[in-house]
């Protein structure tokens, strides 16, 4: 009797094309996506529909979507082994998003803290899309019968909503959606701002010295790390109250694989200047293959378009199975 091969569990990850990812995004999440893709049946999406809750110029959205798609491939996500697609290329996301709006209570959606935060930040554009964002996110997840979703702290509420909506729909119409669970994998590094090390590194920071973009040149990276906030002690060691040095040690550890004890021993008796130089060199070397592959891919738009088209077709085949089942159960008249 032949051994049946167990299908891999499915993981969905999505990232908005709101700008070039930072070193924090890379070391905290993206670098782990490649490892994850070896062990799971993975779908990776450029979540462009989500990004229009904030006003953007059409040319910027188009360019950033292409760049983000290329960057996912540049970090090592193989479109042959994984499904890499752009969210808006699969209309089922919007269709299921509308249906799930009708199975989400207004009170549930209004409790989302991210809606409150973003409404305060963009008071001149508090649109319905911003309010319904978590329902579209639920559709993204539930369309693919996803087992696990890697999420950050700020997305826990949204995944909980997706689970609630899935359970509600299943309760009304029988088993339709798999109820997703949070992905508890290797914890990514929590990289902080180079200028305010008590805050996380963010690409939306108004101070460009606070973050390292994956597109930064080696000279820019060196300058940003050289100007990183430290302290007056002058000793490379991990300790409470040394947020700046702790952050740089975390970055150096991620890029070299060295433990904090090994880093302390390596720089014993040396000053922050030597340490910052080594950190800059390690970051440049870490990002070099990613940047080289990104540049190569951006120079071959025809190949990117081919991969995006094939990725959307693969994603659509899975998505439409779920969508047609949902539409049948709700009672929509389907023909053809």
């Amino acid at each position: 009797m032949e051994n049946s091969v167990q299908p891999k569990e499915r993981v969905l990850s999505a990232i908005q094309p709101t700008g070039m990812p930072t070193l924090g995004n890379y070391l905290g999440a993206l670098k782990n996506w490649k490892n994850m893709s070896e062990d799971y049946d993975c779908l990776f999406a450029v979540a462009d529909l989500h990004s229009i809750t904030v006003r953007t110029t059409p040319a910027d959205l188009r360019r950033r979507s292409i760049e983000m798609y290329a960057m996912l491939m540049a970090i090592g996500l193989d479109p042959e082994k994984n499904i890499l697609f752009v969210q808006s290329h699969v209309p089922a996301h919007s269709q299921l998003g509308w249906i799930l709006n009708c199975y989400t209570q207004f009170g549930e959606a209004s409790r989302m803290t991210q809606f409150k935060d973003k409404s305060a930040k963009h008071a001149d554009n508090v649109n319905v899309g911003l309010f319904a964002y978590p329902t579209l996110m639920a559709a993204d997840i539930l369309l693919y019968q996803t087992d696990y979703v890697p999420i950050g702290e700020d997305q826990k509420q949204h995944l909980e909503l997706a689970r609630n909506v899935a359970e509600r729909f299943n309760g009304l119409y029988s088993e339709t959606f798999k109820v997703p669970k949070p992905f508890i994998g290797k914890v990514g590094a929590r990289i902080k701002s180079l200028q305010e090390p008590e805050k996380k590194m963010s690409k939306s920071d108004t101070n460009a010295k606070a973050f390292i973009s994956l597109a930064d040149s080696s000279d820019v990276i060196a300058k940003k790390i050289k100007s990183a906030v430290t302290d007056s002690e002058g000793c490379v060691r991990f300790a409470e109250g040394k947020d700046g040095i702790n952050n740089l040690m975390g970055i150096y550890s991620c890029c070299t694989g060295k433990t904090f004890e090994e880093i302390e021993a390596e720089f014993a008796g040396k000053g922050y200047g030597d340490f910052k130089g080594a950190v800059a060199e390690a970051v440049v070397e870490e990002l070099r293959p990613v940047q080289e592959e990104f540049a190569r891919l951006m120079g071959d738009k025809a190949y990117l378009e081919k991969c995006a088209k094939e990725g959307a077709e693969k994603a659509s085949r899975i998505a439409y199975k779920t969508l047609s089942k949902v539409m049948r159960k709700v009672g929509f008249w389907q023909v053809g």
Side-chain angles (χ1 to χ4, degrees), residues 8-308:
K8 290 180 177 179
E9 291 180 300
R10 183 169 289 157
V11 177
L12 173 89
S13 303
I15 186 167
Q16 286 192 47
T18 49
M20 188 59 67
T22 67
L23 181 69
N25 299 135
Y26 175 69
L27 297 178
L30 299 178
K31 193 176 177 183
N32 290 337
W33 285 11
K34 186 183 175 185
N35 300 332
M36 196 167 68
S37 71
E38 302 297 323
D39 303 320
Y40 294 89
D41 174 15
C42 289
L43 293 104
F44 299 105
V46 176
D48 56 343
L49 292 174
H50 285 292
S51 67
I52 66 166
T53 57
V54 175
R55 288 283 172 267
T56 183
T57 62
D60 280 349
L61 176 60
R62 198 172 296 113
R63 174 183 53 79
R64 288 200 305 256
S65 298
I66 295 167
E67 286 178 348
M68 188 62 79
Y69 190 84
M71 185 54 77
L72 292 180
M73 290 173 67
I75 63 172
L77 302 180
D78 186 342
E80 295 295 321
K81 293 180 182 173
N82 309 282
I83 299 178
L84 265 66
F85 68 101
V86 176
Q87 184 189 26
S88 65
H89 294 176
V90 183
H93 286 257
S94 304
Q95 287 175 269
L96 184 60
W98 168 251
I99 295 171
L100 296 187
N101 278 336
C102 302
Y103 290 85
T104 304
Q105 297 305 300
F106 187 85
E108 285 178 305
S110 61
R111 282 195 293 275
M112 298 292 114
T113 53
Q114 208 175 63
F115 171 68
K116 293 169 189 169
D117 295 345
K118 289 199 173 180
S119 299
K121 203 180 283 185
H122 302 283
D124 60 333
N125 182 27
V126 184
N127 56 71
V128 174
L130 194 61
F131 186 74
Y133 174 107
T135 323
L136 179 58
M137 184 175 162
D140 299 338
I141 297 163
L142 300 179
L143 266 178
Y144 298 100
Q145 305 297 343
T146 306
D147 291 290
Y148 296 107
V149 185
I151 50 165
E153 198 64 37
D154 58 344
Q155 298 288 359
K156 276 185 179 174
Q157 255 194 327
H158 292 172
L159 181 60
E160 200 52 47
L161 180 73
R163 288 172 55 84
N164 292 344
V165 172
E167 286 167 349
R168 180 175 301 135
F169 195 95
N170 290 350
L172 287 166
Y173 299 106
S174 78
E175 284 300 305
T176 308
F177 296 120
K178 191 170 279 188
V179 180
K181 297 187 278 287
F183 180 80
I184 311 297
K186 184 184 172 192
V187 178
R190 289 182 172 84
I191 304 302
K192 305 291 188 179
S193 160
L194 297 177
Q195 294 299 313
E196 297 175 84
E198 65 284 353
K199 289 173 22 182
K200 77 172 187 179
M201 184 179 284
S202 169
K203 60 190 169 194
S204 60
D205 202 309
T206 51
N207 183 354
K209 289 182 178 180
F211 63 90
I212 290 169
S213 160
L214 294 194
D216 283 344
S217 69
S218 52
D219 287 347
V220 169
I221 291 170
K223 280 178 189 167
K224 287 183 178 180
I225 289 175
K226 190 177 179 182
S227 68
V229 167
T230 52
D231 54 63
S232 57
E233 189 187 31
C235 176
V236 178
R237 67 187 183 89
F238 189 89
E240 199 173 327
K242 289 173 68 71
D243 294 350
I245 285 297
N246 294 347
N247 187 38
L248 290 176
M249 287 178 74
I251 292 170
Y252 191 61
S253 172
C254 286
C255 294
T256 62
K258 293 177 181 177
T259 65
F260 283 3
E261 291 78 11
E262 287 168 337
I263 295 168
E264 287 174 5
E266 183 183 351
F267 293 96
K270 294 180 182 175
Y272 290 165
D274 288 335
F275 179 52
K276 285 181 172 181
V279 174
E281 198 175 307
V283 170
V284 167
E285 287 310 308
E286 174 74 30
L287 297 185
R288 189 189 305 282
V290 174
Q291 291 181 339
E292 286 174 354
E293 180 63 3
F294 176 74
R296 186 189 73 76
L297 288 164
M298 287 301 290
D300 192 350
K301 294 281 171 58
Y303 177 64
L304 284 176
E305 285 184 12
K306 173 181 172 287
C307 291

